[in-house]
């Protein structure tokens, strides 16, 4: 019965992703996906139960890759690539033909696409995959196999990928090519509340030791034996994107004191991050503690951070206080290899790429 259910999940997700790919805006994509998450949850869970940690990790990557693609592919990004412009223009042309008005629900799930336009679109995607594979990752989904995922994890590192469903969770770990999965008994709403209280305590400079230990016990201790490494690569999920893992504590040390921490929204991103790895050199443009016209918003430690970072890279430039402006960031950025911001930031959960 579980095998039949698994096959049904695969078929359902193929159909869901086919329909969703035809929707032009990320808002419509997210709205369409909102009540489909249960399909991905079931798919991931059955993958683990039937085929183990490796299959579960592949299923998780499929879900994450699709979400990231939807966020990126509907943005008008200047890739400075004529193939990219052709892809965007043709995608808009197809959408106008197939879904003239996305507000009309009757047109939101067409049965057929214009054959000639589809063939032209496929031809463009094939060209982009050959000429610019990183760009191709933003317009089409080619999820990684477990072997590819494992090969991306550096030596002396552990990949910790989380999946948070409504009333349970999974932690997938990959260390030295070996995969393991641990199931968590949790309530997503209760976890979200814990994380919010933890964040509020940090912002209010209140004591956080008890909360840091509680969250560590829930989210890290179950895989502690897999973490005899130097680097921990965290792939968050759902509410965990709001959790500062570095501040979690086993009661004696914080996570950031034990590991070099890295974050990635999906395993596939590691593929391109690895190819872009550079030696510890280059010129840095550092901006810190910009003047916001209110002394209460000053960040003196951020100013020190920017100055310290810039001092470690010869030929770098640092701008602080009134000199740290948007104009400087825009006009000078192209002259440097690395840009370092030590500033306030605004995050919109409704529109993460805003």
């Amino acid at each position: 019965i579980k095998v039949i259910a698994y096959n049904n999940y695969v078929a359902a997700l193929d159909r869901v992703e086919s329909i969703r790919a035809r929707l032009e805006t990320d808002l419509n994509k997210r709205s369409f996906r909102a009540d489909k998450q249960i399909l991905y949850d079931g798919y991931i869970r059955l993958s683990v139960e039937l085929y183990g940690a490796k299959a579960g990790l592949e299923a998780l990557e499929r879900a994450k890759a699709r979400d990231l693609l939807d966020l990126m592919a509907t943005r008008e990004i200047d890739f400075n690539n004529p193939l990219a412009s052709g892809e965007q223009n043709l995608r808009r042309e197809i959408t106008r033909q197939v879904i003239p008005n996305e507000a009309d629900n009757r047109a939101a799930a067409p049965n057929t696409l214009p054959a000639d336009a589809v063939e032209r679109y496929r031809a463009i995607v094939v060209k982009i995959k050959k000429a610019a594979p990183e760009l191709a990752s933003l317009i089409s989904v080619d999820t990684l196999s477990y072997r590819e995922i494992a090969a991306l994890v550096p030596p002396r590192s552990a990949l910790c990928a989380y999946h948070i469903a409504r009333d349970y969770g999974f932690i997938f770990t990959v260390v030295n090519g070996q995969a393991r999965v641990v199931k968590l008994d949790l309530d997503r709403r209760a976890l979200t509340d814990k994380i919010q209280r933890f964040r509020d305590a940090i912002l209010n400079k209140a004591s956080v030791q008890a909360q840091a230990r509680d969250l560590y016990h829930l989210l890290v201790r179950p895989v502690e034996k897999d973490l005899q490494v130097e680097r921990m690569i965290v792939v968050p999920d759902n509410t965990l994107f709001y959790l500062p893992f570095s501040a979690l504590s086993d009661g004696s040390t914080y996570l950031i004191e034990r590991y070099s921490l890295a974050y990635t929204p999906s395993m596939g991103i590691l593929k391109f991050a690895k190819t872009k790895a550079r030696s510890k050199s280059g010129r840095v443009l550092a901006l810190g503690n910009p003047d916001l016209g209110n002394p209460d918003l000053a960040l003196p430690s951020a100013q020190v951070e920017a100055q310290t970072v810039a001092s470690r890279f010869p030929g770098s430039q640092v701008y602080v206080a009134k000199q740290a402006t948007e104009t400087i960031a825009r006009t000078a950025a192209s002259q440097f290899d690395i840009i370092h911001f030590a500033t306030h930031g605004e995050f919109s959960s409704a529109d993460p790429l805003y």
Side-chain angles (χ1 to χ4, degrees):
I1 294 177
K2 286 187 176 182
V3 173
I4 295 174
Y6 173 84
N7 292 333
N8 287 338
Y9 273 123
V10 172
L13 289 175
D14 287 343
R15 179 59 176 160
V16 165
E17 291 174 0
S18 173
I19 294 173
R20 192 169 64 167
R22 303 173 191 175
L23 304 180
E24 173 70 8
T25 67
D26 58 335
L27 175 61
N28 283 341
K29 290 174 184 287
R30 290 199 297 267
S31 298
F32 177 73
R33 164 69 185 272
D35 61 348
K36 312 298 189 301
Q37 179 60 42
I38 191 172
L39 293 177
Y40 286 93
D41 291 344
Y43 172 54
I44 293 168
R45 184 168 186 166
L46 279 181
S47 295
V48 170
E49 292 180 2
L50 291 173
Y51 306 112
K54 296 179 181 179
L57 195 58
E58 290 177 343
L60 177 62
E61 174 61 10
R62 174 176 179 172
K64 288 183 174 295
R66 183 73 257 177
D67 280 342
L68 187 62
L69 173 66
D70 283 349
L71 281 172
M72 294 297 293
T74 55
R75 299 291 168 167
E76 294 301 321
I77 302 173
D78 181 8
F79 292 106
N80 193 28
N81 185 312
L83 288 175
S85 300
E87 183 276 332
Q88 290 180 344
N89 292 335
L90 184 52
R91 174 154 48 85
R92 284 194 294 268
E93 177 188 331
I94 293 173
T95 302
R96 283 195 298 269
Q97 293 181 43
V98 178
I99 313 175
N101 179 7
E102 287 187 9
D104 186 348
N105 291 331
R106 291 171 299 176
N111 292 321
T112 60
L113 289 167
D116 62 328
V118 170
E119 288 305 314
R120 283 189 289 144
Y121 188 83
R122 285 175 178 167
I124 287 180
V125 172
V126 169
K127 288 181 180 179
I128 292 176
K129 286 183 176 182
K130 291 180 179 178
E134 184 172 1
L135 170 58
S137 71
L138 300 181
I139 63 171
S140 63
V141 176
D142 289 320
T143 55
L144 302 179
S145 67
Y146 171 75
R147 180 174 295 182
E148 292 173 308
I149 293 171
L152 292 171
V153 182
R156 301 182 298 281
S157 302
L159 177 74
C160 294
Y162 291 83
H163 173 61
I164 305 298
R166 183 175 60 85
D167 54 3
Y168 67 92
F170 289 122
I171 309 177
F172 297 90
T173 60
V174 179
V175 184
N176 296 325
Q178 301 299 310
R180 194 167 77 92
V181 61
V182 175
K183 187 176 180 181
L184 304 176
D185 292 322
L186 56 78
D187 178 271
R188 185 168 60 202
R189 181 171 296 179
L191 175 62
T192 300
D193 291 341
K194 284 184 177 183
I195 291 173
Q196 185 60 58
R197 289 195 298 270
F198 183 49
R199 289 165 54 89
D200 289 344
I202 292 174
L203 290 173
N204 294 325
K205 299 182 179 179
S207 174
V208 298
Q209 284 296 326
Q211 296 172 77
R213 287 195 301 269
D214 181 33
L215 287 165
Y216 179 94
H217 180 79
L218 178 63
L219 299 169
V220 180
R221 191 174 297 281
V223 293
E224 227 174 16
K225 70 178 185 180
D226 297 324
L227 301 179
Q228 308 305 308
V229 294
E230 298 176 2
R231 182 187 294 112
M232 180 178 175
I233 304 171
V234 179
V235 187
D237 186 45
N238 202 278
T239 188
L240 297 187
F241 278 101
Y242 297 89
L243 176 65
F245 276 79
S246 57
L248 302 187
S249 171
D250 63 359
S252 59
T253 59
Y254 290 102
L255 213 59
I256 191 62
E257 296 177 301
R258 294 165 54 189
Y259 305 104
S260 171
L261 286 173
Y263 296 86
T264 179
S266 78
M267 284 73 79
I269 294 297
L270 293 176
K271 177 179 180 181
F272 300 107
K274 194 170 183 178
T275 61
K276 288 181 176 291
R278 65 174 72 203
S279 60
K280 296 180 180 179
S281 63
R283 298 171 63 243
V284 174
L285 171 64
L287 300 98
N289 190 26
D291 183 7
L292 300 180
N294 183 347
D296 292 336
L297 298 177
L299 299 171
S301 295
Q303 181 166 323
V304 174
E305 174 189 324
Q307 293 167 333
T308 301
V309 168
S311 69
R312 296 185 178 183
F313 294 83
S316 297
Q317 185 68 50
V318 59
Y319 294 90
V320 298
K322 291 184 180 296
Q323 294 181 323
T325 65
E326 181 179 348
T327 300
I328 287 292
R330 288 182 178 277
T331 57
S334 62
Q335 304 168 34
F336 295 86
D337 304 296
I338 303 168
I339 305 175
H340 182 88
F341 291 98
T343 68
H344 287 288
E346 294 184 9
F347 174 72
S348 169
S349 59
D351 193 358
L353 294 184
Y354 175 72

